[in-house]
Structure formats: structure tokens, C-alpha cells
Amino acid sequence: MGAWRHFPIFMITVPLLGAVLLPFLGYVRERWVPYAALLPLGTSTLLGILLIGRIPSDGYLSYHMGGWEPPFGIEIRLDYVGLFLMLVVCGITFLALVYSRHYIEKEVSGGRRTAYYVLYLLMSGAMLGFVATGDIFNLFVFMEILALSSYALVAITGNRNAVRAAFKYILMGAPSSIMVLLAIGFLYSVTGTLNMADLAGRIAESGYTEVLIVSYILLVVGFGVKAALFPLHMWLPDAHSIAPSPISALLSGLLVEVCAFALVRITFSIFTLRASDLVMGTADAVGVAAAAAVLYGGIMAILQKDLKMMIAYSTVSHIGYIFLGLTAFTAEGLTGAMYHMLDHGLAKACLFLCAGNFIYLKGYRRIEDLKGAWSQMPWTCFAFALASLSVIGIPPTAGFISKWYLILGNVEGGKWLYAAVLLAGSILAAVYCLRVLYYMFFQAGKEGAWEEYWHDAPPAMLAPVWALSLATLFFGVFSSLLIPSLLKAATYLL
């Protein structure tokens, strides 16, 4: 066995181990903590890159913890899509962590800064474990680590609005966790196993009983809350807009997407399309909710005056895009959904970090306050503009590629109405994004609004922003690097 076969488990455990060790470093030298936190995420990113080409194109890499064979032992099961998403998680969490140092020094009081980096690494490691685990109970464990760390990070500044947003997040998140746990209990009571691959085989043998139907519905609703699928999204706008901007970038760009990915695995790997009445019936309801999300999120984003709130409602809309791709049940639709996870992660993280630059330098959150911003903060404004083009879906950005496949997948599946909804969503995105760009580039700022600032954000904050915005362009121009593999993976899942 080559050493590289251990890389998937190291990718998960290194950030979690870093979270355990950081408090000791914080006690000795707190100012070293922001730099030390980069090491675990950098290592995970490197290991993920080294795994490229190691996954069989039509299969998966299975790692057995302690040498115990599944279904008795814990399995890490990494296929091409899982590795793709782990690399997205590693890349974005690393860039947002680089961004964090200046921002957190200003926004978070000294006593809480080490806690911020500890929670950040916990959340990052949990996301990686969430994507790669082959065991449904460990999926729940990683989901809880992810949820608890994100609740705390939303409230990390300690101000009243942050605590209120975190409490609202908990009120929605806790019942959804109970639903997922109940569903897992029902699955175990019927099948006697928790390994996902073994579950699929035993469910196919036993048939789809009423208990299994209830467990599937509970899983869809439970993960639907975590993924902020309309109308279960109520926690999202406040939590994403109030959290520190690097955390907003992770919550909006990654957390909701890995939860959507969990539903993909549960639907296609455990229940499978052979349960057509069960899966298709639920998918119809999810499709209606997703279409409503696209339109509702877009309209609400247009109505917002607060920049971060506008970006948060845009996320509600774009989660609808992803679910419309999943419910198309075509290779093109699934490919569009997976590519949109990449595009949305990059573009939305970039927009939130740009918003963080405005807050960091000027304390501006209102969209009207950004009039004339480009004259003093050109690097931030042009990065925001590039990411906005991807959110709208204008070529040659990655957003154009993902929306093309989403629409094509729905047309191939005979869902013309949903294809029209996707087009309407892009028009709504153009309205709310171009309004901000109009204020930034074509409106004069109020007297005294910008004059005292002659510089943009610090390089350590601009570099991640530009890396993300250029990535939306790169994956638009060079989409052929990923699309054939994603199409093959989608065909394999179906």
C-alpha cells in the first residue's frame, strides 16, 4: 500500500489535530496563532493535490480505519466527486484563513481570537470529514461538529445582533439534527448497518418499507435545513450577514453546499434511483421548493439595502440552482449542480470577502455607501465585479458554464419550466449585482466619504479576494479540465 492511500484520513485529521494544539500555542504566544493555523489547512490542501489522479475514474478509494473492514469498521470512501469537493473546501478555507488575520484583529476582542482559529480549524476538518466519510453515523458526527463550531463562530464577536443570529441558527439547526439522528436510528433498526455502501445493498434486498420512507423524508428535511433549502432557509440571512466576513464566506460558499452534497450521496448511494416512487416523489417536492428558492432569493436580494444581506439572499437563490440540477436526474443536470458548487463557492466567498474589505476600512455595509468606491478601493471593486459576473452567469466565467449545464440538464429531463426559472434567476441576479456595480463605478461618492483613504485593503486581504475572483474566470475558460470527469461521475451515479 502506497503512503498516498493514507492521505484522505490525514486531510481530515490534520486540521482537527491543529484545533487541539492551537490553545496551547495561544497560551504561550497568541500572536503566532494566525500563522500556525495556516499549517494544517496548507497540509490538507497539499495532500488533496497529491491525490489527483489516484482515484479510479469509474470507482472510489476506500480507506479502512485501523484496518477493520467495513461494515464493521469505519470507512473513508473517496470518489472523484468527493475529492473534487474536498479540494474546493481546502482551497477556500485556506484563502479565507489568510484573509482572517487583519479582519479578526479588528472585529474580535483579544480573548476570543485564539478561539476563533480553533473553531475555524474544527469547522474546516468537519467539512472535510463530512464529504469523505462512508459511514452515515460519522456523517452525523461531523455534521454536529460543523454545526456547533459554526454557531459559535457566528456569535464570536459577542455583540447582541451576532448572539441573536446564532440563537436563531441554533433554533433551526437543533431540530434538523434530531431529524437526521432519528432517520439514522430508523435505518439501523431495519438494516442493522451504518456503512453507506452496505446500507444500499441491504435496502435493495429488504425493499422500501414505510420506516425507510419516513427515514428518507427525515433526512431530506434535516439536511434541507442545513443546506438552507427554501422554505427552511430562515436562519441563513441573519447568520450569514452578521458573522465575521471570513466566516460568512465559508458558511455561504461551502457549508450549505456540503450539506447539499450529503443529500446527493444519500439519494444516489444509499436509496438509489431504483426506489423511483420514493426518490422521485420527494424530488418533485424538492424541485418545487428549489424553483421557489431561485425566484424568492433573487427578489429578496434586490430588495436589500445591506450588502451582506443581499449576498446572503443570493445564496438562498443559488442553493435553489443546485437542487434544480440534482432533481433533473440527468447527467448534464448533475454535472451542472456539481460545477455550480465550485462556482458558487468561489464567487460567493469572494463577494463576502470584498464586503469585508469595505467594513474593515470604512465600516460601510449599506449598498448606497459604496457610491464612488472604485476611486479609492479599485482592487476590491474590480474583484467584486468579476465575481458578480460569475454570479450572473456571464461568459467566460464558471457561472456561465454551470448555468449552461443546469439549463441543459432540465431541458434534457423535459423540465422546461425549471429551465425558464433558471433563466429568470439569472435576470434577477443581474439586477441586484449590476445595481451594486453601478453605485461603485458610475455614481459619485458623498463628500468626505472616501477622501481620507488613499489605499485599498492590505495585500493579505486582497490576495485571497483576487485568487477567488480569478478562479471564477479560470474555471470558466478552462472548464474542459473538469467537465468530462464530472459528466462521467454523474453518469456513474445515475
Side-chain angles (χ1 to χ4, degrees):
M1 178 186 288
W4 59 269
R5 295 188 67 86
H6 298 282
F7 289 178
I9 189 65
F10 287 156
M11 287 179 72
I12 300 166
T13 54
V14 168
L16 296 177
L17 182 62
V20 173
L21 297 177
L22 272 188
F24 298 102
L25 180 62
Y27 181 75
V28 179
R29 288 284 188 276
E30 188 184 43
R31 61 193 173 88
W32 290 356
V33 169
Y35 305 101
L38 290 169
L39 186 61
L41 284 180
T43 303
S44 292
T45 307
L46 178 62
L47 293 175
I49 292 170
L50 293 174
L51 274 175
I52 294 174
R54 302 282 189 182
I55 309 292
S57 60
D58 58 346
Y60 56 88
L61 175 65
S62 179
Y63 182 84
H64 307 153
M65 295 283 288
W68 289 80
E69 295 281 337
F72 305 106
I74 296 171
E75 181 187 24
I76 300 296
R77 194 180 182 90
L78 196 59
D79 56 16
Y80 180 83
V81 178
L83 177 60
F84 163 73
L85 199 52
M86 285 182 87
L87 282 168
V88 173
V89 170
C90 286
I92 294 177
T93 51
F94 183 80
L95 290 172
L97 190 59
V98 171
Y99 179 96
S100 290
R101 184 170 66 86
H102 289 291
Y103 192 91
I104 293 306
E105 281 178 3
K106 187 172 183 180
E107 290 286 315
V108 178
S109 62
R112 293 181 175 142
R113 285 176 196 153
T114 299
Y116 170 86
Y117 290 101
V118 170
L119 291 165
Y120 192 103
L121 289 182
L122 275 178
M123 186 165 71
S124 304
M127 275 194 275
L128 293 170
F130 193 75
V131 170
T133 182
D135 180 289
I136 196 164
F137 184 73
N138 281 314
L139 186 77
F140 173 77
V141 171
F142 283 122
M143 182 184 80
E144 285 307 287
I145 297 173
L146 186 54
L148 293 172
S149 54
S150 58
Y151 299 150
L153 283 167
V154 169
I156 192 80
T157 58
N159 68 53
R160 181 177 296 179
N161 288 336
V163 173
R164 188 184 296 125
F167 185 65
K168 190 174 179 181
Y169 189 7
I170 293 170
L171 285 180
M172 293 288 292
S176 71
S177 298
I178 293 171
M179 287 183 196
V180 172
L181 187 59
L182 276 175
I184 292 170
F186 289 157
L187 282 174
Y188 186 75
S189 70
V190 173
T191 63
T193 184
L194 293 171
N195 180 271
M196 292 188 196
D198 200 38
L199 268 171
R202 297 196 187 190
I203 289 174
E205 288 175 8
S206 65
Y208 293 88
T209 63
E210 291 177 353
V211 176
L212 290 174
I213 293 170
V214 170
S215 67
Y216 182 69
I217 293 171
L218 285 173
L219 287 169
V220 170
V221 176
F223 283 111
V225 172
K226 304 290 187 189
L229 176 65
F230 180 88
L232 308 171
H233 69 284
M234 284 82 83
W235 61 270
L236 185 148
D238 287 341
H240 286 204
S241 62
I242 295 297
S245 289
I247 302 306
S248 302
L250 298 194
L251 294 178
S252 192
L254 291 176
L255 189 144
V256 292
E257 290 169 1
V258 297
C259 292
F261 177 72
L263 269 181
V264 175
R265 293 189 68 191
I266 288 166
T267 299
F268 292 99
S269 301
I270 297 179
F271 287 89
T272 77
L273 291 182
R274 281 171 291 179
S276 56
D277 290 342
L278 168 61
V279 173
M280 293 298 182
T282 309
D284 288 341
V286 171
V288 172
V294 171
L295 300 177
Y296 170 82
I299 292 169
M300 290 302 293
I302 291 171
L303 296 176
Q304 300 309 308
K305 296 180 179 178
D306 181 286
L307 180 63
K308 288 186 70 174
M309 192 66 93
M310 184 202 83
I311 303 169
Y313 272 109
S314 169
T315 296
V316 175
S317 179
H318 281 257
I319 287 300
Y321 278 89
I322 293 170
F323 276 100
L324 279 183
L326 302 178
T327 54
F329 290 108
T330 61
E332 291 79 8
L334 269 177
T335 300
M338 290 186 282
Y339 212 70
H340 202 69
M341 289 181 188
L342 168 67
D343 165 61
H344 182 256
L346 298 171
K348 204 51 65 72
C350 180
L351 293 184
F352 268 119
L353 295 185
C354 287
N357 284 358
F358 296 123
I359 294 169
Y360 175 79
L361 282 180
K362 297 290 292 181
Y364 290 165
R365 292 182 61 108
R366 287 171 58 86
I367 295 171
E368 286 196 356
D369 289 338
L370 302 181
K371 289 178 178 176
W374 83 275
S375 63
Q376 298 297 323
M377 299 178 65
W379 291 102
T380 298
C381 290
F382 280 109
F384 189 97
L386 188 52
S388 296
L389 296 182
S390 197
V391 170
I392 298 168
I394 294 176
T397 60
F400 171 75
I401 303 297
S402 64
K403 289 184 179 181
W404 171 262
Y405 276 93
L406 287 170
I407 292 171
L408 185 63
N410 276 278
V411 170
E412 290 279 337
K415 298 180 178 179
W416 290 89
L417 181 59
Y418 289 163
V421 168
L422 290 165
L423 283 172
S426 287
I427 295 170
L428 294 173
V431 174
Y432 60 74
C433 286
L434 294 180
R435 178 183 55 149
V436 178
L437 299 184
Y438 174 73
Y439 282 154
M440 281 181 180
F441 292 98
F442 300 104
Q443 288 277 296
K446 292 179 182 177
E447 187 177 352
W450 300 95
E451 282 76 1
E452 70 270 30
Y453 282 89
W454 60 272
H455 59 79
D456 210 315
M461 296 175 75
L462 283 176
V465 163
W466 268 95
L468 291 165
S469 64
L470 289 175
T472 64
L473 188 61
F474 176 85
F475 286 108
V477 174
F478 299 103
S479 59
S480 59
L481 293 174
L482 291 174
I483 289 294
S485 300
L486 291 179
L487 273 170
K488 189 181 291 184
T491 305
Y492 177 75
L493 284 173
L494 291 169

